[in-house]
Amino acid sequence: ISPKQPNTSNKFAEHTENSFCYGKVYDKILLYSRALFCVSDSLPGRFHDPFLHTERRKRMKKPDENFIMLPTVDFCFKELMMNPKVRTGFIAALLDLSPDEIQDTEIVPTELPRDYPEEKLGILDVHVRMRDGRHLNLEMQVQFFEYWDSRILFYLSKMFSGQLKKGDSYEKLRKCIHVSILDFSWFDDDLYYHTIHLYDDGTKERYSDLLELQFLELKNLPPEAQSEKGILRWMRFLHD
């Protein structure tokens, strides 16, 4: 273990791009206010502005003005990651790179391939492929899940093996990273950020860099400081 210390209105999208593209977290009041939403039965998982559909709004109950959609809500988190610049900024922080180094990222289907119908179905939260071929699964989990380790190893291994088709060479395999964003404490320590790789027990040297786990434990965030940047600042946004 190596610990380390949406599809919305134009106004919201413009604010999101400017605010998060370089990992900067601005006032979240605008984000929360734009997350007042009504969900279409025919388009689940999309933001809709209730003020755009007058007739429908008349038939609906008046929305709760105090309601906010927090980034830890699975649906809200996925919508944020649909914005390319938001996604780039967050991944840049995860990989400790500048956004310019990330280049293009692509959202790919989240259902993991199965070899036979009886095999367990795996559906990722946000599956991203980078230009260099690396894959990331960004998964938000609010409620404690007893078998989290088993679940993410299953997802990571399926994401890794799913890169190859019949006749493909093993050299085509690219690094896969599973990112767990947890609103509960998973490890028995007070660290807020863990990265995990495969290591040799005897030499303590890294065996392979092709598989990686990252854990962001929002409950373990330290007291806020003015000099915060990178992944810590993103975690602060997601949690506060």
Side-chain angles (χ1 to χ4, degrees), residues 201-226:
D201 288 343
T203 64
K204 308 303 180 184
E205 293 181 355
R206 186 178 300 183
Y207 174 70
S208 172
D209 192 45
L210 287 176
L211 298 175
E212 178 177 319
L213 299 171
Q214 294 197 24
F215 292 82
L216 285 62
E217 296 184 84
L218 303 180
K219 294 294 187 184
N220 289 354
L221 284 171
E224 191 168 0
Q226 291 185 346

PDB file of all heavy atoms in Angstrom, residues 201-226:
ATOM      1  N   ASP A 201       6.414  -9.516  -2.199  1.00  0.00           N
ATOM      2  CA  ASP A 201       6.469  -9.536  -0.730  1.00  0.00           C
ATOM      3  C   ASP A 201       7.890  -9.517  -0.198  1.00  0.00           C
ATOM      4  O   ASP A 201       8.166  -8.967   0.871  1.00  0.00           O
ATOM      5  CB  ASP A 201       5.751 -10.783  -0.187  1.00  0.00           C
ATOM      6  CG  ASP A 201       4.245 -10.690  -0.336  1.00  0.00           C
ATOM      7  OD1 ASP A 201       3.732  -9.566  -0.557  1.00  0.00           O
ATOM      8  OD2 ASP A 201       3.573 -11.742  -0.237  1.00  0.00           O
ATOM      9  N   GLY A 202       8.827 -10.149  -0.940  1.00  0.00           N
ATOM     10  CA  GLY A 202      10.195 -10.238  -0.452  1.00  0.00           C
ATOM     11  C   GLY A 202      11.012  -8.996  -0.719  1.00  0.00           C
ATOM     12  O   GLY A 202      11.617  -8.427   0.195  1.00  0.00           O
ATOM     13  N   THR A 203      11.010  -8.552  -1.955  1.00  0.00           N
ATOM     14  CA  THR A 203      11.858  -7.413  -2.329  1.00  0.00           C
ATOM     15  C   THR A 203      11.180  -6.063  -2.121  1.00  0.00           C
ATOM     16  O   THR A 203      11.837  -5.025  -2.132  1.00  0.00           O
ATOM     17  CB  THR A 203      12.257  -7.514  -3.809  1.00  0.00           C
ATOM     18  OG1 THR A 203      11.076  -7.411  -4.622  1.00  0.00           O
ATOM     19  CG2 THR A 203      12.945  -8.843  -4.087  1.00  0.00           C
ATOM     20  N   LYS A 204       9.850  -6.101  -1.961  1.00  0.00           N
ATOM     21  CA  LYS A 204       9.060  -4.864  -1.822  1.00  0.00           C
ATOM     22  C   LYS A 204       9.071  -4.027  -3.105  1.00  0.00           C
ATOM     23  O   LYS A 204       8.672  -2.864  -3.085  1.00  0.00           O
ATOM     24  CB  LYS A 204       9.560  -4.009  -0.647  1.00  0.00           C
ATOM     25  CG  LYS A 204       9.677  -4.762   0.669  1.00  0.00           C
ATOM     26  CD  LYS A 204       8.362  -5.403   1.071  1.00  0.00           C
ATOM     27  CE  LYS A 204       8.486  -6.157   2.392  1.00  0.00           C
ATOM     28  NZ  LYS A 204       7.239  -6.866   2.751  1.00  0.00           N
ATOM     29  N   GLU A 205       9.505  -4.620  -4.199  1.00  0.00           N
ATOM     30  CA  GLU A 205       9.506  -3.909  -5.467  1.00  0.00           C
ATOM     31  C   GLU A 205       8.170  -4.112  -6.178  1.00  0.00           C
ATOM     32  O   GLU A 205       7.529  -5.166  -6.047  1.00  0.00           O
ATOM     33  CB  GLU A 205      10.641  -4.414  -6.363  1.00  0.00           C
ATOM     34  CG  GLU A 205      12.031  -4.091  -5.833  1.00  0.00           C
ATOM     35  CD  GLU A 205      13.133  -4.584  -6.763  1.00  0.00           C
ATOM     36  OE1 GLU A 205      12.788  -5.254  -7.761  1.00  0.00           O
ATOM     37  OE2 GLU A 205      14.307  -4.302  -6.497  1.00  0.00           O
ATOM     38  N   ARG A 206       7.773  -3.114  -6.946  1.00  0.00           N
ATOM     39  CA  ARG A 206       6.517  -3.210  -7.678  1.00  0.00           C
ATOM     40  C   ARG A 206       6.652  -4.250  -8.782  1.00  0.00           C
ATOM     41  O   ARG A 206       7.575  -4.215  -9.582  1.00  0.00           O
ATOM     42  CB  ARG A 206       6.131  -1.854  -8.258  1.00  0.00           C
ATOM     43  CG  ARG A 206       4.748  -1.847  -8.904  1.00  0.00           C
ATOM     44  CD  ARG A 206       4.370  -0.472  -9.419  1.00  0.00           C
ATOM     45  NE  ARG A 206       4.333   0.509  -8.359  1.00  0.00           N
ATOM     46  CZ  ARG A 206       3.977   1.772  -8.543  1.00  0.00           C
ATOM     47  NH1 ARG A 206       3.657   2.202  -9.768  1.00  0.00           N
ATOM     48  NH2 ARG A 206       3.969   2.629  -7.532  1.00  0.00           N
ATOM     49  N   TYR A 207       5.710  -5.191  -8.827  1.00  0.00           N
ATOM     50  CA  TYR A 207       5.750  -6.259  -9.821  1.00  0.00           C
ATOM     51  C   TYR A 207       5.234  -5.774 -11.176  1.00  0.00           C
ATOM     52  O   TYR A 207       5.809  -6.076 -12.220  1.00  0.00           O
ATOM     53  CB  TYR A 207       4.914  -7.441  -9.328  1.00  0.00           C
ATOM     54  CG  TYR A 207       4.761  -8.543 -10.331  1.00  0.00           C
ATOM     55  CD1 TYR A 207       5.836  -9.355 -10.684  1.00  0.00           C
ATOM     56  CD2 TYR A 207       3.533  -8.775 -10.952  1.00  0.00           C
ATOM     57  CE1 TYR A 207       5.698 -10.367 -11.609  1.00  0.00           C
ATOM     58  CE2 TYR A 207       3.380  -9.786 -11.884  1.00  0.00           C
ATOM     59  CZ  TYR A 207       4.467 -10.580 -12.210  1.00  0.00           C
ATOM     60  OH  TYR A 207       4.324 -11.581 -13.141  1.00  0.00           O
ATOM     61  N   SER A 208       4.128  -5.041 -11.155  1.00  0.00           N
ATOM     62  CA  SER A 208       3.534  -4.552 -12.394  1.00  0.00           C
ATOM     63  C   SER A 208       2.773  -3.264 -12.118  1.00  0.00           C
ATOM     64  O   SER A 208       2.226  -3.078 -11.023  1.00  0.00           O
ATOM     65  CB  SER A 208       2.573  -5.594 -12.989  1.00  0.00           C
ATOM     66  OG  SER A 208       1.864  -5.062 -14.093  1.00  0.00           O
ATOM     67  N   ASP A 209       2.740  -2.401 -13.106  1.00  0.00           N
ATOM     68  CA  ASP A 209       2.003  -1.147 -12.981  1.00  0.00           C
ATOM     69  C   ASP A 209       0.692  -1.199 -13.768  1.00  0.00           C
ATOM     70  O   ASP A 209       0.004  -0.187 -13.898  1.00  0.00           O
ATOM     71  CB  ASP A 209       2.870   0.008 -13.503  1.00  0.00           C
ATOM     72  CG  ASP A 209       2.296   1.363 -13.144  1.00  0.00           C
ATOM     73  OD1 ASP A 209       1.871   1.541 -11.978  1.00  0.00           O
ATOM     74  OD2 ASP A 209       2.240   2.242 -14.028  1.00  0.00           O
ATOM     75  N   LEU A 210       0.317  -2.372 -14.252  1.00  0.00           N
ATOM     76  CA  LEU A 210      -0.857  -2.483 -15.109  1.00  0.00           C
ATOM     77  C   LEU A 210      -2.175  -2.436 -14.334  1.00  0.00           C
ATOM     78  O   LEU A 210      -3.229  -2.164 -14.918  1.00  0.00           O
ATOM     79  CB  LEU A 210      -0.801  -3.774 -15.927  1.00  0.00           C
ATOM     80  CG  LEU A 210       0.218  -3.783 -17.074  1.00  0.00           C
ATOM     81  CD1 LEU A 210       0.244  -5.146 -17.744  1.00  0.00           C
ATOM     82  CD2 LEU A 210      -0.117  -2.698 -18.102  1.00  0.00           C
ATOM     83  N   LEU A 211      -2.143  -2.710 -13.047  1.00  0.00           N
ATOM     84  CA  LEU A 211      -3.349  -2.680 -12.220  1.00  0.00           C
ATOM     85  C   LEU A 211      -3.138  -1.732 -11.050  1.00  0.00           C
ATOM     86  O   LEU A 211      -2.100  -1.784 -10.385  1.00  0.00           O
ATOM     87  CB  LEU A 211      -3.694  -4.073 -11.699  1.00  0.00           C
ATOM     88  CG  LEU A 211      -4.011  -5.147 -12.743  1.00  0.00           C
ATOM     89  CD1 LEU A 211      -4.215  -6.490 -12.060  1.00  0.00           C
ATOM     90  CD2 LEU A 211      -5.244  -4.760 -13.554  1.00  0.00           C
ATOM     91  N   GLU A 212      -4.119  -0.903 -10.788  1.00  0.00           N
ATOM     92  CA  GLU A 212      -4.001   0.071  -9.697  1.00  0.00           C
ATOM     93  C   GLU A 212      -5.369   0.320  -9.068  1.00  0.00           C
ATOM     94  O   GLU A 212      -6.386   0.384  -9.768  1.00  0.00           O
ATOM     95  CB  GLU A 212      -3.424   1.386 -10.221  1.00  0.00           C
ATOM     96  CG  GLU A 212      -3.302   2.489  -9.167  1.00  0.00           C
ATOM     97  CD  GLU A 212      -2.643   3.749  -9.721  1.00  0.00           C
ATOM     98  OE1 GLU A 212      -1.671   3.617 -10.484  1.00  0.00           O
ATOM     99  OE2 GLU A 212      -3.121   4.861  -9.411  1.00  0.00           O
ATOM    100  N   LEU A 213      -5.366   0.447  -7.756  1.00  0.00           N
ATOM    101  CA  LEU A 213      -6.557   0.828  -7.004  1.00  0.00           C
ATOM    102  C   LEU A 213      -6.299   2.162  -6.317  1.00  0.00           C
ATOM    103  O   LEU A 213      -5.227   2.364  -5.743  1.00  0.00           O
ATOM    104  CB  LEU A 213      -6.911  -0.216  -5.944  1.00  0.00           C
ATOM    105  CG  LEU A 213      -7.248  -1.632  -6.424  1.00  0.00           C
ATOM    106  CD1 LEU A 213      -7.343  -2.569  -5.223  1.00  0.00           C
ATOM    107  CD2 LEU A 213      -8.551  -1.646  -7.205  1.00  0.00           C
ATOM    108  N   GLN A 214      -7.267   3.052  -6.378  1.00  0.00           N
ATOM    109  CA  GLN A 214      -7.200   4.303  -5.627  1.00  0.00           C
ATOM    110  C   GLN A 214      -8.437   4.407  -4.743  1.00  0.00           C
ATOM    111  O   GLN A 214      -9.546   4.077  -5.178  1.00  0.00           O
ATOM    112  CB  GLN A 214      -7.118   5.512  -6.559  1.00  0.00           C
ATOM    113  CG  GLN A 214      -5.837   5.598  -7.366  1.00  0.00           C
ATOM    114  CD  GLN A 214      -5.616   6.989  -7.952  1.00  0.00           C
ATOM    115  OE1 GLN A 214      -6.132   7.987  -7.451  1.00  0.00           O
ATOM    116  NE2 GLN A 214      -4.824   7.050  -9.012  1.00  0.00           N
ATOM    117  N   PHE A 215      -8.205   4.859  -3.513  1.00  0.00           N
ATOM    118  CA  PHE A 215      -9.299   5.054  -2.565  1.00  0.00           C
ATOM    119  C   PHE A 215      -9.295   6.496  -2.094  1.00  0.00           C
ATOM    120  O   PHE A 215      -8.277   6.993  -1.578  1.00  0.00           O
ATOM    121  CB  PHE A 215      -9.142   4.134  -1.349  1.00  0.00           C
ATOM    122  CG  PHE A 215      -9.329   2.673  -1.642  1.00  0.00           C
ATOM    123  CD1 PHE A 215      -8.297   1.916  -2.158  1.00  0.00           C
ATOM    124  CD2 PHE A 215     -10.548   2.048  -1.385  1.00  0.00           C
ATOM    125  CE1 PHE A 215      -8.447   0.569  -2.423  1.00  0.00           C
ATOM    126  CE2 PHE A 215     -10.723   0.699  -1.653  1.00  0.00           C
ATOM    127  CZ  PHE A 215      -9.673  -0.049  -2.170  1.00  0.00           C
ATOM    128  N   LEU A 216     -10.419   7.174  -2.254  1.00  0.00           N
ATOM    129  CA  LEU A 216     -10.602   8.522  -1.743  1.00  0.00           C
ATOM    130  C   LEU A 216     -11.649   8.437  -0.634  1.00  0.00           C
ATOM    131  O   LEU A 216     -12.833   8.201  -0.908  1.00  0.00           O
ATOM    132  CB  LEU A 216     -11.083   9.473  -2.846  1.00  0.00           C
ATOM    133  CG  LEU A 216     -10.072   9.956  -3.896  1.00  0.00           C
ATOM    134  CD1 LEU A 216      -9.494   8.798  -4.706  1.00  0.00           C
ATOM    135  CD2 LEU A 216     -10.738  10.959  -4.840  1.00  0.00           C
ATOM    136  N   GLU A 217     -11.204   8.577   0.604  1.00  0.00           N
ATOM    137  CA  GLU A 217     -12.111   8.445   1.745  1.00  0.00           C
ATOM    138  C   GLU A 217     -12.523   9.835   2.223  1.00  0.00           C
ATOM    139  O   GLU A 217     -11.777  10.527   2.920  1.00  0.00           O
ATOM    140  CB  GLU A 217     -11.444   7.652   2.861  1.00  0.00           C
ATOM    141  CG  GLU A 217     -11.129   6.213   2.473  1.00  0.00           C
ATOM    142  CD  GLU A 217     -10.553   5.412   3.615  1.00  0.00           C
ATOM    143  OE1 GLU A 217     -11.331   4.890   4.438  1.00  0.00           O
ATOM    144  OE2 GLU A 217      -9.317   5.332   3.706  1.00  0.00           O
ATOM    145  N   LEU A 218     -13.730  10.225   1.847  1.00  0.00           N
ATOM    146  CA  LEU A 218     -14.193  11.579   2.116  1.00  0.00           C
ATOM    147  C   LEU A 218     -14.355  11.856   3.611  1.00  0.00           C
ATOM    148  O   LEU A 218     -14.222  13.010   4.046  1.00  0.00           O
ATOM    149  CB  LEU A 218     -15.519  11.817   1.388  1.00  0.00           C
ATOM    150  CG  LEU A 218     -15.482  11.609  -0.134  1.00  0.00           C
ATOM    151  CD1 LEU A 218     -16.859  11.878  -0.734  1.00  0.00           C
ATOM    152  CD2 LEU A 218     -14.428  12.490  -0.792  1.00  0.00           C
ATOM    153  N   LYS A 219     -14.635  10.845   4.398  1.00  0.00           N
ATOM    154  CA  LYS A 219     -14.822  11.032   5.838  1.00  0.00           C
ATOM    155  C   LYS A 219     -13.506  11.334   6.559  1.00  0.00           C
ATOM    156  O   LYS A 219     -13.512  11.799   7.692  1.00  0.00           O
ATOM    157  CB  LYS A 219     -15.448   9.776   6.459  1.00  0.00           C
ATOM    158  CG  LYS A 219     -16.858   9.486   5.998  1.00  0.00           C
ATOM    159  CD  LYS A 219     -17.837  10.548   6.457  1.00  0.00           C
ATOM    160  CE  LYS A 219     -19.265  10.155   6.130  1.00  0.00           C
ATOM    161  NZ  LYS A 219     -20.232  11.224   6.483  1.00  0.00           N
ATOM    162  N   ASN A 220     -12.381  11.061   5.911  1.00  0.00           N
ATOM    163  CA  ASN A 220     -11.083  11.242   6.564  1.00  0.00           C
ATOM    164  C   ASN A 220     -10.386  12.539   6.161  1.00  0.00           C
ATOM    165  O   ASN A 220      -9.187  12.697   6.429  1.00  0.00           O
ATOM    166  CB  ASN A 220     -10.157  10.066   6.235  1.00  0.00           C
ATOM    167  CG  ASN A 220     -10.586   8.788   6.932  1.00  0.00           C
ATOM    168  OD1 ASN A 220     -11.508   8.789   7.738  1.00  0.00           O
ATOM    169  ND2 ASN A 220      -9.925   7.691   6.613  1.00  0.00           N
ATOM    170  N   LEU A 221     -11.088  13.445   5.534  1.00  0.00           N
ATOM    171  CA  LEU A 221     -10.459  14.691   5.115  1.00  0.00           C
ATOM    172  C   LEU A 221      -9.930  15.472   6.315  1.00  0.00           C
ATOM    173  O   LEU A 221     -10.596  15.568   7.341  1.00  0.00           O
ATOM    174  CB  LEU A 221     -11.475  15.562   4.350  1.00  0.00           C
ATOM    175  CG  LEU A 221     -11.777  15.138   2.916  1.00  0.00           C
ATOM    176  CD1 LEU A 221     -12.944  15.940   2.360  1.00  0.00           C
ATOM    177  CD2 LEU A 221     -10.549  15.314   2.036  1.00  0.00           C
ATOM    178  N   PRO A 222      -8.734  16.036   6.182  1.00  0.00           N
ATOM    179  CA  PRO A 222      -8.169  16.826   7.284  1.00  0.00           C
ATOM    180  C   PRO A 222      -8.846  18.188   7.364  1.00  0.00           C
ATOM    181  O   PRO A 222      -9.602  18.567   6.454  1.00  0.00           O
ATOM    182  CB  PRO A 222      -6.695  16.962   6.879  1.00  0.00           C
ATOM    183  CG  PRO A 222      -6.738  16.951   5.383  1.00  0.00           C
ATOM    184  CD  PRO A 222      -7.841  15.988   5.005  1.00  0.00           C
ATOM    185  N   PRO A 223      -8.581  18.945   8.422  1.00  0.00           N
ATOM    186  CA  PRO A 223      -9.113  20.303   8.494  1.00  0.00           C
ATOM    187  C   PRO A 223      -8.703  21.113   7.277  1.00  0.00           C
ATOM    188  O   PRO A 223      -7.587  20.972   6.776  1.00  0.00           O
ATOM    189  CB  PRO A 223      -8.485  20.861   9.787  1.00  0.00           C
ATOM    190  CG  PRO A 223      -8.205  19.644  10.617  1.00  0.00           C
ATOM    191  CD  PRO A 223      -7.841  18.563   9.635  1.00  0.00           C
ATOM    192  N   GLU A 224      -9.590  21.944   6.814  1.00  0.00           N
ATOM    193  CA  GLU A 224      -9.347  22.702   5.588  1.00  0.00           C
ATOM    194  C   GLU A 224      -8.221  23.711   5.750  1.00  0.00           C
ATOM    195  O   GLU A 224      -8.101  24.363   6.785  1.00  0.00           O
ATOM    196  CB  GLU A 224     -10.621  23.426   5.145  1.00  0.00           C
ATOM    197  CG  GLU A 224     -10.533  24.021   3.764  1.00  0.00           C
ATOM    198  CD  GLU A 224     -11.883  24.461   3.249  1.00  0.00           C
ATOM    199  OE1 GLU A 224     -12.888  24.294   3.971  1.00  0.00           O
ATOM    200  OE2 GLU A 224     -11.946  24.963   2.104  1.00  0.00           O
ATOM    201  N   ALA A 225      -7.395  23.813   4.714  1.00  0.00           N
ATOM    202  CA  ALA A 225      -6.288  24.771   4.697  1.00  0.00           C
ATOM    203  C   ALA A 225      -6.348  25.576   3.413  1.00  0.00           C
ATOM    204  O   ALA A 225      -6.851  25.110   2.381  1.00  0.00           O
ATOM    205  CB  ALA A 225      -4.942  24.042   4.806  1.00  0.00           C
ATOM    206  N   GLN A 226      -5.816  26.791   3.433  1.00  0.00           N
ATOM    207  CA  GLN A 226      -5.887  27.669   2.272  1.00  0.00           C
ATOM    208  C   GLN A 226      -5.029  27.185   1.109  1.00  0.00           C
ATOM    209  O   GLN A 226      -5.278  27.514  -0.038  1.00  0.00           O
ATOM    210  CB  GLN A 226      -5.463  29.090   2.661  1.00  0.00           C
ATOM    211  CG  GLN A 226      -6.453  29.787   3.579  1.00  0.00           C
ATOM    212  CD  GLN A 226      -6.063  31.231   3.840  1.00  0.00           C
ATOM    213  OE1 GLN A 226      -4.930  31.632   3.554  1.00  0.00           O
ATOM    214  NE2 GLN A 226      -6.990  32.000   4.377  1.00  0.00           N
TER     215      GLN A 226
END
